[in-house]
Amino acid sequence: MNISVILNGKKTILEAAPDDSLMKVLRNQSLTTVKCGCNSGLCGSCTVLLDDKPVASCKIPIGIINNSEIETLEYFMNTKDYEIIMKGFDLANIKLCGYCNAGKIFCAYQILKKNKIPSREQILNQIKTLSPCCTDINTLANGIIYAYEIKDKGYATSIKRRDK
């Protein structure tokens, strides 16, 4: 089956069986930031943006995404949003392990897209489904709060690190 998508900004035809997972197809495209982890959509290692929303690509059959836009972490790493998120994560002293990065980063991106600053409780509610292996949930929430402050204020140097 041929599936027409926009993959990392380029119109692409993906060839796969309709029930193949998006994760498998993207891995076959040598997109190495899409990792195979738990295969149940919880760890975050296979997260991609599908039509600008983070999804667990292991749970998405390729046959349902015709004419969709897919963005992997490889592509997203070249954006201003990524830079802001990484500055926030740095302020929270988050060390990325390389395994579940996409889940954490794309979850932060989804939260930062909102115009109104979310409460800590709202952030914790949105990230509670992640099972990051290298960062606890409270530290991740701190990183997202820092990133929001950077985005909102447009600077990183005057924000002081919060205790956990």
Side-chain angles (χ1 to χ4, degrees):
M1 173 177 208
N2 290 337
I3 305 292
S4 177
V5 297
I6 297 173
L7 176 59
N8 290 336
K10 294 179 184 171
K11 188 162 177 87
T12 306
I13 303 294
L14 300 172
E15 290 185 40
D19 60 344
D20 281 351
S21 73
L22 177 57
M23 176 194 67
K24 176 183 175 185
V25 174
L26 293 174
R27 293 286 300 172
N28 288 340
Q29 296 288 313
S30 299
L31 296 166
T32 58
T33 61
V34 182
K35 309 264 190 261
C36 181
C38 67
N39 250 351
S40 60
L42 297 175
C43 69
S45 65
C46 70
T47 304
V48 298
L49 292 178
L50 179 63
D51 296 325
D52 207 37
K53 293 180 181 75
V55 298
S57 63
C58 68
K59 303 296 282 178
I60 306 292
I62 193 78
I64 68 168
I65 64 162
N66 200 37
N67 297 318
S68 291
E69 188 168 342
I70 303 160
E71 193 169 328
T72 65
L73 192 55
E74 283 97 340
Y75 188 75
F76 187 78
M77 288 168 63
N78 298 310
T79 67
K80 182 74 173 166
D81 290 316
Y82 176 80
E83 182 183 330
I84 289 168
I85 291 165
M86 295 315 298
K87 285 180 181 176
F89 283 11
D90 187 51
L91 285 169
N93 204 25
I94 294 173
K95 306 292 186 235
L96 297 175
C97 68
Y99 177 70
C100 57
N101 295 4
K104 291 186 292 231
I105 291 166
F106 286 141
C107 190
Y109 170 70
Q110 185 69 23
I111 292 167
L112 294 178
K113 283 186 356 179
K114 298 182 167 70
N115 292 329
K116 185 179 147 203
I117 189 164
S119 69
R120 182 176 195 79
E121 182 179 325
Q122 289 169 322
I123 291 171
L124 288 170
N125 190 45
Q126 287 193 8
I127 63 176
K128 71 181 176 187
T129 59
L130 288 176
S131 298
C133 55
C134 56
T135 306
D136 67 89
I137 293 297
N138 284 313
T139 303
L140 181 55
N142 287 344
I144 294 170
I145 290 168
Y146 289 135
Y148 195 90
E149 290 174 353
I150 293 165
K151 177 186 170 204
D152 189 46
K153 305 282 192 255
Y155 58 88
T157 54
S158 66
I159 298 173
K160 293 184 174 122
R161 199 187 267 170
R162 291 191 178 110
D163 292 327
K164 294 181 191 173

